[in-house]
Amino acid sequence: MMLFTAVMVGLAAQQGAAWTPASTELHVFLDTEGLLSTDGLALKQHRGMKPENGARVIVATEPWELLIFAYNSVVQVSDTEVRLYYDTFGPGGRFLCVAVSHDGGATFAKPSLGLISFNGSTANNIVAGPNIEPGVVFLDTNPACTPDERYKLVISWNGGATMFASPDGFQFTNMTAAPLLKGSDTQDVVFWDPAIGTAGAYVYYGRSHLHGGQNITCSAYLGVPGTSEPGRSINHFVIGDNVTHWPYDSADADPEGLAILNTDPLDPPCIDLYTSATTKLADGYLLFPMMYNHFDRIYSQGRGNDGLLEARLVVSRNGHNVSYVDRAAWLPRGDGEPRFNHTGVYEGDFDAASSAVVQGLVHTSAETIVYAWGSQYTHGGYVGWTTPPCRSAPDAPCKVDSGIQRLRLRLNGFVSLSTTSNNGLSPGTLTTQPYTVPQCPGSQPTILQLNIFTAIGLGATVELVDDATGAVRARSVRIEGGGVRYNVSWEVAGPTTRVWIDTGCAYETPAPVDSCAPGDTHMNCTTRHDCCVHDGVVWPLPGTCHGVQVDCIAGICQTGTPGGEACGHWAEVTGWKSVGTDMGKLGLGGAQVKLVLTMGAGDLYSMQTLCGP
């Protein structure tokens, strides 16, 4: 994975000890932190599933919604209420609107708020506008936040990023006398991050103007001098505990110091970066940079700064050191092609020219929902609001489509440790750093919970291996299938049992002829009952050698013919006793172990230790 680093400003990011399975915080496997080895496993990126019929939850239906635009955010208010704050653009200006769902984000309605006038009427769902560039709305989880400022909004307005607050998420009040940050020219992302420092802090993600790290200019690569060049990077800084006092007043105050993601020699020469749509996921962070591939100045038909847009996925453990799992688009554009004589407007799918991820996530009991924006306009194709003909009707204007879709993933299922690196042909094994087996207080059970999927018959097992001796102190019941909240069931070593290991008939050994192999012996008997285990056949039908039934003859299990003796040896086998899902019953509290998970074929998404049922 390509790794990028940046210098933090303001409050330092929390740099705690590496993750171990003892952590009670949900750990998503975005990287290999805390792991000694991942033999046969590799990180795998998972895309959200688009609706098969291309259905959208937001489309342009109102006079102020000529185009649903790129800078959107989602807020999960409760299990049932979800709000989409969406960006609209048209000749009447640019607005931030809201749509509300009461079925967990499956369908949305546009409320009439009576707040902001459009064409002389306030019967609309506009919460900000008209001359703005939307950032995000977020529920402020800062413990010091007052109820009347529960919702926060950041927008570029009146010359720069400005903070607003609201008790209900509809009517917002300006918190600042002047813009806090100028020049970001993208979706400003702000939220409260409890992982910063010792008490949490507000954080900012935006954009600086910084040339990329490609080895050749876009103009030289395309052979068209004067083509618009990439020159934007994703930046980040910690604001602190006061959301209206920012450490910088310009997005370009320290572009190299604040940059956490830029293009590099592995990127095409004409790729650029727009919004990051950064969001927190458990103990990690997800960034969805909107990659912008510049057209040359001739192909863009005089529009200059134009090209196609689609989103990648970038992951981080601490919010500022970021890496790719895969550079392939996480949100690919839909199918389509440019319209007749206009390279800035596509036909086909609504997201044929541009796609971006809506900032924020919605979680259900089994799935994570991501919302995705798309448009048939390219980066600069909307200029003039042209509606060129489609190929199916070349003599008439053709509507330009846009909107927001609902994508479904397995719960927290963006990245997994997967056996697909070896095509499932051999097991994969992860081994953690040594850690102390946790013990929940009082009588609370200690549960190890996995988000895991395994193929039937290939399954997975978990072992707790003594760090000093290498002995297996406990093991899981075999995991078949798994689940998004799979509670591991445990077994501990019980008393040993003496068993006969059958190795075949004497004639089957290569040498000496008609004698048991070295280390094996004849199976002694008193009655034919003692010979029942041969060839796995249970008494009263003894096994066979050369097709002749084995019997007890002269005190040996045999057929009475040369080479017909049953061979094998006795062994001490450890028995295992089930203790259920409570690790407290393992008797290992305080022991130093390594967790070893072996998976035949499948994906491991997350792990967490829980106290309680």
Side-chain angles (χ1 to χ4, degrees):
M1 295 189 298
M2 183 65 68
L3 184 68
F4 305 84
T5 60
V7 178
M8 294 295 291
V9 299
L11 297 177
Q14 185 176 4
Q15 300 294 331
W19 168 84
T20 76
S23 173
T24 56
E25 183 178 12
L26 179 65
H27 178 73
V28 284
F29 287 101
L30 304 179
D31 52 26
T32 56
E33 179 192 33
L35 303 180
L36 285 175
S37 62
T38 54
D39 298 333
L41 298 172
L43 293 169
K44 178 182 178 181
Q45 172 177 294
H46 301 271
R47 290 173 177 160
M49 294 182 293
K50 293 184 175 182
E52 291 184 1
N53 60 0
R56 283 161 282 167
V57 295
I58 299 292
V59 294
T61 59
E62 307 302 328
W64 54 91
E65 297 177 347
L66 179 66
L67 174 70
I68 308 299
F69 214 49
Y71 297 161
N72 308 283
S73 57
V74 64
V75 173
Q76 184 171 14
V77 181
S78 66
D79 289 343
T80 56
E81 184 177 351
V82 176
R83 300 182 187 180
L84 266 172
Y85 293 87
Y86 64 98
D87 182 5
T88 68
F89 209 179
R94 192 169 181 181
F95 299 93
L96 180 66
C97 301
V98 64
V100 181
S101 170
H102 293 288
D103 57 8
T107 60
F108 288 83
K110 301 175 181 180
S112 179
L113 300 177
L115 298 175
I116 294 176
S117 178
F118 179 84
N119 286 349
S121 172
T122 59
N124 57 60
N125 63 332
I126 300 172
V127 296
N131 300 310
I132 64 164
E133 184 169 66
V136 299
V137 176
F138 66 99
L139 270 176
D140 193 343
T141 56
N142 179 356
C145 177
T146 59
D148 59 329
E149 296 184 348
R150 182 185 180 210
Y151 291 84
K152 296 292 195 306
L153 162 66
V154 56
I155 56 175
S156 284
W157 173 73
N158 197 26
T162 306
M163 290 300 308
F164 292 75
S166 169
D168 60 7
F170 299 123
Q171 189 165 5
F172 287 89
T173 302
N174 190 352
M175 302 177 71
T176 55
L180 297 167
L181 184 79
K182 299 179 181 179
S184 69
D185 187 28
T186 193
Q187 182 184 31
D188 298 305
V189 176
V190 176
F191 56 87
W192 174 261
D193 187 350
I196 301 297
T198 58
Y202 295 100
V203 293
Y204 171 85
Y205 292 84
R207 191 177 69 173
S208 296
H209 294 85
L210 181 68
H211 286 293
Q214 293 102 321
N215 290 327
I216 185 175
T217 66
C218 182
S219 295
Y221 175 75
L222 296 175
V224 182
T227 295
S228 174
E229 294 290 339
R232 303 169 179 89
S233 62
I234 302 298
N235 66 10
H236 165 53
F237 56 81
V238 175
I239 296 172
D241 60 2
N242 188 334
V243 76
T244 63
H245 288 77
W246 292 15
Y248 295 96
D249 61 4
S250 169
D252 294 316
D254 183 12
E256 292 190 8
L258 298 181
I260 61 171
L261 178 65
N262 204 345
T263 53
D264 59 51
L266 296 181
D267 284 313
C270 298
I271 284 285
D272 210 340
L273 294 163
Y274 261 84
T275 176
S276 69
T278 304
T279 189
K280 200 156 182 356
L281 180 71
D283 64 344
Y285 302 78
L286 305 176
L287 292 77
F288 298 93
M290 187 165 60
M291 312 305 292
Y292 168 31
N293 190 41
H294 294 236
F295 290 156
D296 69 60
R297 65 182 183 88
I298 298 174
Y299 184 79
S300 63
Q301 299 171 315
R303 291 182 302 278
N305 190 13
D306 197 10
L308 300 172
L309 301 160
E310 65 183 7
R312 291 180 182 174
L313 171 63
V314 173
V315 299
S316 176
R317 184 60 61 193
N318 57 19
H320 60 277
N321 295 330
V322 304
S323 59
Y324 288 111
V325 173
D326 191 332
R327 288 184 189 241
W330 188 86
L331 181 62
R333 295 175 299 111
D335 294 334
E337 59 184 337
R339 301 186 186 187
F340 280 129
N341 301 319
H342 202 304
T343 57
V345 187
Y346 275 52
E347 59 181 283
D349 292 345
F350 83 98
D351 54 353
S354 301
S355 69
V357 171
V358 174
Q359 192 272 339
L361 303 173
V362 172
H363 299 291
T364 70
S365 59
E367 294 182 323
T368 294
I369 306 301
V370 179
Y371 294 91
W373 166 81
S375 170
Q376 292 178 339
Y377 279 126
T378 60
H379 176 267
Y382 70 89
V383 175
W385 307 109
T386 56
T387 55
C390 293
R391 296 171 187 270
S392 58
D395 297 324
C398 186
K399 178 184 176 183
V400 180
D401 215 349
S402 61
I404 296 176
Q405 269 187 340
R406 179 178 183 265
L407 312 184
R408 299 167 52 223
L409 290 93
R410 185 185 184 92
L411 184 66
N412 301 318
F414 294 90
V415 179
S416 69
L417 279 170
S418 177
T419 58
T420 53
S421 61
N422 56 32
N423 296 317
L425 299 178
S426 60
T429 301
L430 70 83
T431 303
T432 71
Q433 298 279 356
Y435 72 100
T436 302
V437 177
Q439 183 75 49
C440 289
S443 60
Q444 295 184 83
T446 305
I447 307 295
L448 181 68
Q449 191 172 89
L450 309 178
N451 184 347
I452 187 171
F453 167 78
T454 65
I456 294 175
L458 296 172
T461 57
V462 182
E463 294 178 335
L464 299 181
V465 178
D466 191 287
D467 185 42
T469 67
V472 177
R473 301 289 302 275
R475 72 181 187 185
S476 72
V477 175
R478 187 170 181 81
I479 301 169
E480 296 282 356
V484 296
R485 293 183 181 87
Y486 183 88
N487 294 339
V488 175
S489 292
W490 296 96
E491 297 177 329
V492 293
T496 59
T497 304
R498 190 167 182 261
V499 297
W500 175 262
I501 307 299
D502 173 35
T503 57
C505 302
Y507 76 86
E508 295 174 309
T509 61
V513 177
D514 296 338
S515 179
C516 293
D520 287 343
T521 185
H522 300 131
M523 186 176 187
N524 297 324
C525 60
T526 303
T527 69
R528 70 194 309 249
H529 300 183
D530 300 328
C531 305
C532 68
V533 298
H534 184 62
D535 282 351
V537 179
V538 179
W539 181 86
L541 297 174
T544 62
C545 288
H546 272 144
V548 180
Q549 284 192 344
V550 171
D551 207 336
C552 186
I553 302 173
I556 296 175
C557 294
Q558 59 176 308
T559 64
T561 58
E565 298 88 350
C567 298
H569 56 269
W570 290 99
E572 298 289 330
V573 176
T574 300
W576 291 88
K577 180 177 68 173
S578 176
V579 298
T581 59
D582 184 3
M583 295 180 68
K585 296 180 180 179
L586 299 176
L588 299 178
Q592 283 288 113
V593 299
K594 298 171 185 173
L595 184 147
V596 179
L597 186 147
T598 300
M599 185 161 48
D603 295 272
L604 176 65
Y605 298 87
S606 67
M607 184 179 295
Q608 183 178 18
T609 293
L610 300 173
C611 289

Short mmCIF file of all heavy atoms in Angstrom, two decimals, residues 288-330:
data_model
loop_
_atom_site.label_atom_id
_atom_site.label_comp_id
_atom_site.label_asym_id
_atom_site.label_seq_id
_atom_site.Cartn_x
_atom_site.Cartn_y
_atom_site.Cartn_z
N PHE A 288 -13.01 9.39 0.77
CA PHE A 288 -13.46 9.04 -0.58
C PHE A 288 -13.09 10.17 -1.53
O PHE A 288 -13.98 10.92 -1.99
CB PHE A 288 -14.96 8.79 -0.59
CG PHE A 288 -15.41 7.65 0.27
CD1 PHE A 288 -15.81 7.85 1.59
CD2 PHE A 288 -15.43 6.36 -0.23
CE1 PHE A 288 -16.24 6.81 2.38
CE2 PHE A 288 -15.86 5.28 0.56
CZ PHE A 288 -16.25 5.52 1.87
N PRO A 289 -11.81 10.36 -1.81
CA PRO A 289 -11.42 11.48 -2.67
C PRO A 289 -12.05 11.38 -4.05
O PRO A 289 -12.03 10.32 -4.68
CB PRO A 289 -9.89 11.35 -2.74
CG PRO A 289 -9.61 9.92 -2.42
CD PRO A 289 -10.66 9.50 -1.45
N MET A 290 -12.64 12.47 -4.48
CA MET A 290 -13.22 12.53 -5.82
C MET A 290 -12.09 12.84 -6.80
O MET A 290 -11.55 13.95 -6.82
CB MET A 290 -14.32 13.59 -5.87
CG MET A 290 -15.08 13.61 -7.18
SD MET A 290 -16.65 14.54 -7.10
CE MET A 290 -16.09 16.17 -6.66
N MET A 291 -11.72 11.84 -7.58
CA MET A 291 -10.61 11.98 -8.52
C MET A 291 -11.11 12.67 -9.79
O MET A 291 -12.17 12.33 -10.33
CB MET A 291 -10.01 10.61 -8.85
CG MET A 291 -9.73 9.74 -7.64
SD MET A 291 -8.67 10.49 -6.38
CE MET A 291 -7.10 10.57 -7.25
N TYR A 292 -10.33 13.64 -10.24
CA TYR A 292 -10.72 14.48 -11.37
C TYR A 292 -9.69 14.30 -12.48
O TYR A 292 -8.54 14.69 -12.33
CB TYR A 292 -10.82 15.94 -10.89
CG TYR A 292 -10.93 17.00 -11.97
CD1 TYR A 292 -11.55 16.75 -13.18
CD2 TYR A 292 -10.42 18.28 -11.74
CE1 TYR A 292 -11.65 17.73 -14.15
CE2 TYR A 292 -10.52 19.28 -12.69
CZ TYR A 292 -11.13 18.99 -13.90
OH TYR A 292 -11.23 19.97 -14.85
N ASN A 293 -10.12 13.70 -13.58
CA ASN A 293 -9.22 13.46 -14.71
C ASN A 293 -9.43 14.54 -15.77
O ASN A 293 -10.49 14.60 -16.41
CB ASN A 293 -9.47 12.08 -15.31
CG ASN A 293 -8.41 11.69 -16.32
OD1 ASN A 293 -7.24 11.94 -16.10
ND2 ASN A 293 -8.82 11.08 -17.42
N HIS A 294 -8.44 15.42 -15.95
CA HIS A 294 -8.57 16.58 -16.82
C HIS A 294 -8.64 16.18 -18.30
O HIS A 294 -7.87 15.35 -18.78
CB HIS A 294 -7.38 17.52 -16.64
CG HIS A 294 -7.31 18.16 -15.29
ND1 HIS A 294 -7.28 19.52 -15.11
CD2 HIS A 294 -7.28 17.63 -14.04
CE1 HIS A 294 -7.22 19.81 -13.82
NE2 HIS A 294 -7.21 18.67 -13.15
N PHE A 295 -9.57 16.83 -19.04
CA PHE A 295 -9.56 16.77 -20.49
C PHE A 295 -8.47 17.71 -21.01
O PHE A 295 -8.11 18.71 -20.35
CB PHE A 295 -10.89 17.26 -21.08
CG PHE A 295 -12.06 16.34 -20.84
CD1 PHE A 295 -13.35 16.85 -20.84
CD2 PHE A 295 -11.88 14.97 -20.64
CE1 PHE A 295 -14.44 16.02 -20.65
CE2 PHE A 295 -12.98 14.14 -20.44
CZ PHE A 295 -14.25 14.66 -20.44
N ASP A 296 -7.97 17.43 -22.22
CA ASP A 296 -7.09 18.43 -22.82
C ASP A 296 -7.95 19.60 -23.32
O ASP A 296 -9.17 19.49 -23.46
CB ASP A 296 -6.25 17.82 -23.95
CG ASP A 296 -7.07 17.42 -25.17
OD1 ASP A 296 -7.71 18.31 -25.77
OD2 ASP A 296 -7.06 16.23 -25.53
N ARG A 297 -7.30 20.73 -23.54
CA ARG A 297 -8.05 21.97 -23.80
C ARG A 297 -8.76 21.93 -25.16
O ARG A 297 -9.70 22.72 -25.39
CB ARG A 297 -7.11 23.18 -23.74
CG ARG A 297 -6.04 23.23 -24.80
CD ARG A 297 -5.14 24.43 -24.61
NE ARG A 297 -4.13 24.55 -25.65
CZ ARG A 297 -4.33 25.19 -26.81
NH1 ARG A 297 -5.49 25.78 -27.04
NH2 ARG A 297 -3.37 25.25 -27.71
N ILE A 298 -8.35 21.03 -26.04
CA ILE A 298 -9.05 20.91 -27.32
C ILE A 298 -10.29 20.05 -27.17
O ILE A 298 -11.39 20.42 -27.59
CB ILE A 298 -8.10 20.32 -28.40
CG1 ILE A 298 -6.91 21.26 -28.62
CG2 ILE A 298 -8.86 20.07 -29.70
CD1 ILE A 298 -5.86 20.69 -29.54
N TYR A 299 -10.15 18.89 -26.52
CA TYR A 299 -11.27 17.98 -26.32
C TYR A 299 -12.37 18.64 -25.49
O TYR A 299 -13.56 18.35 -25.68
CB TYR A 299 -10.80 16.70 -25.65
CG TYR A 299 -11.87 15.65 -25.51
CD1 TYR A 299 -12.23 14.84 -26.59
CD2 TYR A 299 -12.52 15.45 -24.29
CE1 TYR A 299 -13.22 13.88 -26.47
CE2 TYR A 299 -13.51 14.49 -24.15
CZ TYR A 299 -13.86 13.71 -25.25
OH TYR A 299 -14.84 12.75 -25.12
N SER A 300 -11.99 19.53 -24.59
CA SER A 300 -12.99 20.18 -23.73
C SER A 300 -13.74 21.29 -24.43
O SER A 300 -14.58 21.96 -23.81
CB SER A 300 -12.32 20.73 -22.47
OG SER A 300 -11.39 21.74 -22.78
N GLN A 301 -13.46 21.52 -25.70
CA GLN A 301 -14.24 22.43 -26.54
C GLN A 301 -14.31 23.85 -25.96
O GLN A 301 -15.34 24.50 -25.97
CB GLN A 301 -15.67 21.87 -26.72
CG GLN A 301 -15.68 20.52 -27.40
CD GLN A 301 -17.06 19.87 -27.38
OE1 GLN A 301 -17.73 19.87 -26.35
NE2 GLN A 301 -17.48 19.32 -28.52
N GLY A 302 -13.16 24.29 -25.42
CA GLY A 302 -13.07 25.65 -24.93
C GLY A 302 -13.51 25.85 -23.50
O GLY A 302 -13.45 26.97 -22.98
N ARG A 303 -13.97 24.76 -22.85
CA ARG A 303 -14.39 24.93 -21.46
C ARG A 303 -13.21 25.02 -20.50
O ARG A 303 -13.39 25.36 -19.33
CB ARG A 303 -15.31 23.78 -21.05
CG ARG A 303 -16.67 23.81 -21.73
CD ARG A 303 -17.56 22.67 -21.25
NE ARG A 303 -16.97 21.37 -21.48
CZ ARG A 303 -17.01 20.72 -22.64
NH1 ARG A 303 -17.61 21.28 -23.69
NH2 ARG A 303 -16.46 19.54 -22.77
N GLY A 304 -12.04 24.66 -20.96
CA GLY A 304 -10.83 24.79 -20.15
C GLY A 304 -10.75 23.75 -19.07
O GLY A 304 -10.35 22.61 -19.32
N ASN A 305 -11.12 24.10 -17.86
CA ASN A 305 -10.97 23.23 -16.68
C ASN A 305 -12.11 22.22 -16.64
O ASN A 305 -13.11 22.39 -15.95
CB ASN A 305 -10.97 24.10 -15.42
CG ASN A 305 -10.58 23.31 -14.19
OD1 ASN A 305 -10.08 22.19 -14.27
ND2 ASN A 305 -10.81 23.91 -13.04
N ASP A 306 -11.95 21.11 -17.39
CA ASP A 306 -13.03 20.14 -17.52
C ASP A 306 -12.46 18.72 -17.50
O ASP A 306 -11.28 18.49 -17.76
CB ASP A 306 -13.81 20.38 -18.82
CG ASP A 306 -15.17 19.70 -18.82
OD1 ASP A 306 -15.58 19.21 -17.75
OD2 ASP A 306 -15.82 19.67 -19.88
N GLY A 307 -13.33 17.77 -17.17
CA GLY A 307 -12.92 16.37 -17.13
C GLY A 307 -13.93 15.52 -16.39
O GLY A 307 -15.00 15.98 -15.98
N LEU A 308 -13.59 14.24 -16.21
CA LEU A 308 -14.47 13.26 -15.56
C LEU A 308 -14.13 13.13 -14.08
O LEU A 308 -12.99 13.35 -13.66
CB LEU A 308 -14.33 11.90 -16.24
CG LEU A 308 -14.69 11.87 -17.73
CD1 LEU A 308 -14.32 10.51 -18.33
CD2 LEU A 308 -16.18 12.14 -17.93
N LEU A 309 -15.14 12.72 -13.28
CA LEU A 309 -14.99 12.62 -11.83
C LEU A 309 -15.50 11.27 -11.34
O LEU A 309 -16.55 10.80 -11.77
CB LEU A 309 -15.80 13.73 -11.14
CG LEU A 309 -15.47 15.17 -11.49
CD1 LEU A 309 -16.63 16.08 -11.12
CD2 LEU A 309 -14.20 15.62 -10.77
N GLU A 310 -14.73 10.63 -10.45
CA GLU A 310 -15.22 9.45 -9.74
C GLU A 310 -14.40 9.26 -8.47
O GLU A 310 -13.29 9.78 -8.33
CB GLU A 310 -15.19 8.20 -10.61
CG GLU A 310 -13.83 7.72 -11.04
CD GLU A 310 -13.90 6.50 -11.97
OE1 GLU A 310 -15.01 6.12 -12.39
OE2 GLU A 310 -12.84 5.95 -12.30
N ALA A 311 -14.96 8.51 -7.52
CA ALA A 311 -14.40 8.46 -6.17
C ALA A 311 -13.61 7.18 -5.92
O ALA A 311 -14.03 6.08 -6.30
CB ALA A 311 -15.51 8.57 -5.13
N ARG A 312 -12.47 7.32 -5.25
CA ARG A 312 -11.70 6.21 -4.73
C ARG A 312 -11.96 6.06 -3.23
O ARG A 312 -12.64 6.88 -2.62
CB ARG A 312 -10.20 6.44 -4.93
CG ARG A 312 -9.70 6.40 -6.36
CD ARG A 312 -8.20 6.66 -6.39
NE ARG A 312 -7.65 6.68 -7.73
CZ ARG A 312 -6.38 7.01 -8.01
NH1 ARG A 312 -5.56 7.34 -7.02
NH2 ARG A 312 -5.94 7.01 -9.25
N LEU A 313 -11.37 5.03 -2.64
CA LEU A 313 -11.39 4.84 -1.19
C LEU A 313 -9.97 4.90 -0.66
O LEU A 313 -9.07 4.23 -1.18
CB LEU A 313 -12.02 3.49 -0.83
CG LEU A 313 -11.91 3.06 0.64
CD1 LEU A 313 -12.66 4.02 1.55
CD2 LEU A 313 -12.42 1.63 0.83
N VAL A 314 -9.78 5.70 0.39
CA VAL A 314 -8.51 5.79 1.10
C VAL A 314 -8.81 5.54 2.58
O VAL A 314 -9.83 5.98 3.09
CB VAL A 314 -7.85 7.17 0.90
CG1 VAL A 314 -6.62 7.34 1.76
CG2 VAL A 314 -7.50 7.37 -0.57
N VAL A 315 -7.93 4.83 3.26
CA VAL A 315 -8.19 4.47 4.66
C VAL A 315 -7.10 5.05 5.56
O VAL A 315 -6.00 5.35 5.11
CB VAL A 315 -8.27 2.94 4.85
CG1 VAL A 315 -9.40 2.36 4.03
CG2 VAL A 315 -6.95 2.27 4.50
N SER A 316 -7.44 5.19 6.84
CA SER A 316 -6.49 5.72 7.81
C SER A 316 -6.81 5.15 9.18
O SER A 316 -7.98 4.92 9.52
CB SER A 316 -6.54 7.25 7.85
OG SER A 316 -5.68 7.76 8.85
N ARG A 317 -5.78 4.96 9.98
CA ARG A 317 -5.98 4.53 11.35
C ARG A 317 -6.07 5.72 12.30
O ARG A 317 -6.78 5.67 13.31
CB ARG A 317 -4.82 3.60 11.78
CG ARG A 317 -4.97 3.00 13.16
CD ARG A 317 -6.23 2.16 13.30
NE ARG A 317 -6.28 1.04 12.39
CZ ARG A 317 -7.35 0.32 12.14
NH1 ARG A 317 -8.50 0.63 12.71
NH2 ARG A 317 -7.32 -0.67 11.30
N ASN A 318 -5.38 6.81 11.99
CA ASN A 318 -5.34 7.95 12.91
C ASN A 318 -5.89 9.25 12.32
O ASN A 318 -5.86 10.28 12.97
CB ASN A 318 -3.90 8.18 13.40
CG ASN A 318 -2.93 8.41 12.25
OD1 ASN A 318 -3.33 8.73 11.13
ND2 ASN A 318 -1.65 8.22 12.51
N GLY A 319 -6.36 9.20 11.09
CA GLY A 319 -6.96 10.38 10.48
C GLY A 319 -6.02 11.24 9.68
O GLY A 319 -6.46 12.16 8.98
N HIS A 320 -4.69 10.97 9.75
CA HIS A 320 -3.77 11.79 8.97
C HIS A 320 -2.73 10.98 8.21
O HIS A 320 -2.20 11.44 7.21
CB HIS A 320 -3.08 12.86 9.83
CG HIS A 320 -2.27 12.32 10.96
ND1 HIS A 320 -2.82 11.97 12.17
CD2 HIS A 320 -0.94 12.09 11.07
CE1 HIS A 320 -1.87 11.54 12.98
NE2 HIS A 320 -0.73 11.60 12.34
N ASN A 321 -2.40 9.77 8.63
CA ASN A 321 -1.59 8.88 7.81
C ASN A 321 -2.54 8.01 7.01
O ASN A 321 -3.29 7.21 7.59
CB ASN A 321 -0.68 8.00 8.68
CG ASN A 321 0.35 8.81 9.43
OD1 ASN A 321 0.78 9.85 8.95
ND2 ASN A 321 0.73 8.36 10.60
N VAL A 322 -2.55 8.15 5.71
CA VAL A 322 -3.56 7.50 4.88
C VAL A 322 -2.91 6.56 3.87
O VAL A 322 -1.73 6.70 3.54
CB VAL A 322 -4.43 8.54 4.14
CG1 VAL A 322 -5.07 9.50 5.13
CG2 VAL A 322 -3.60 9.32 3.12
N SER A 323 -3.69 5.60 3.39
CA SER A 323 -3.17 4.63 2.42
C SER A 323 -4.30 4.09 1.56
O SER A 323 -5.47 4.09 1.96
CB SER A 323 -2.45 3.48 3.13
OG SER A 323 -3.34 2.83 4.01
N TYR A 324 -3.94 3.64 0.38
CA TYR A 324 -4.88 2.94 -0.49
C TYR A 324 -4.85 1.44 -0.17
O TYR A 324 -3.78 0.88 0.07
CB TYR A 324 -4.49 3.10 -1.96
CG TYR A 324 -4.72 4.46 -2.56
CD1 TYR A 324 -3.65 5.27 -2.90
CD2 TYR A 324 -6.00 4.91 -2.82
CE1 TYR A 324 -3.86 6.51 -3.48
CE2 TYR A 324 -6.22 6.15 -3.40
CZ TYR A 324 -5.15 6.95 -3.72
OH TYR A 324 -5.35 8.18 -4.29
N VAL A 325 -6.00 0.80 -0.21
CA VAL A 325 -6.06 -0.65 -0.30
C VAL A 325 -6.06 -1.04 -1.77
O VAL A 325 -5.46 -2.02 -2.18
CB VAL A 325 -7.33 -1.19 0.40
CG1 VAL A 325 -7.51 -2.67 0.17
CG2 VAL A 325 -7.26 -0.88 1.90
N ASP A 326 -6.72 -0.21 -2.59
CA ASP A 326 -6.84 -0.47 -4.02
C ASP A 326 -7.07 0.88 -4.69
O ASP A 326 -7.88 1.68 -4.22
CB ASP A 326 -8.03 -1.41 -4.28
CG ASP A 326 -8.09 -1.93 -5.69
OD1 ASP A 326 -7.61 -1.25 -6.62
OD2 ASP A 326 -8.64 -3.04 -5.88
N ARG A 327 -6.38 1.15 -5.79
CA ARG A 327 -6.58 2.43 -6.49
C ARG A 327 -7.74 2.39 -7.46
O ARG A 327 -8.09 3.42 -8.05
CB ARG A 327 -5.30 2.84 -7.21
CG ARG A 327 -4.22 3.30 -6.24
CD ARG A 327 -2.99 3.79 -7.01
NE ARG A 327 -1.90 4.01 -6.07
CZ ARG A 327 -1.32 5.19 -5.87
NH1 ARG A 327 -1.71 6.25 -6.55
NH2 ARG A 327 -0.34 5.31 -5.00
N ALA A 328 -8.33 1.24 -7.67
CA ALA A 328 -9.51 1.19 -8.52
C ALA A 328 -10.62 2.03 -7.90
O ALA A 328 -10.71 2.18 -6.68
CB ALA A 328 -9.98 -0.26 -8.68
N ALA A 329 -11.47 2.59 -8.72
CA ALA A 329 -12.55 3.45 -8.22
C ALA A 329 -13.42 2.67 -7.24
O ALA A 329 -13.86 1.55 -7.54
CB ALA A 329 -13.39 3.97 -9.38
N TRP A 330 -13.69 3.28 -6.08
CA TRP A 330 -14.64 2.67 -5.15
C TRP A 330 -16.06 2.92 -5.64
O TRP A 330 -16.94 2.09 -5.47
CB TRP A 330 -14.45 3.23 -3.75
CG TRP A 330 -15.28 2.48 -2.74
CD1 TRP A 330 -14.93 1.35 -2.08
CD2 TRP A 330 -16.62 2.80 -2.32
NE1 TRP A 330 -15.95 0.92 -1.27
CE2 TRP A 330 -17.01 1.79 -1.39
CE3 TRP A 330 -17.52 3.80 -2.62
CZ2 TRP A 330 -18.26 1.78 -0.77
CZ3 TRP A 330 -18.78 3.80 -2.01
CH2 TRP A 330 -19.12 2.80 -1.10
#
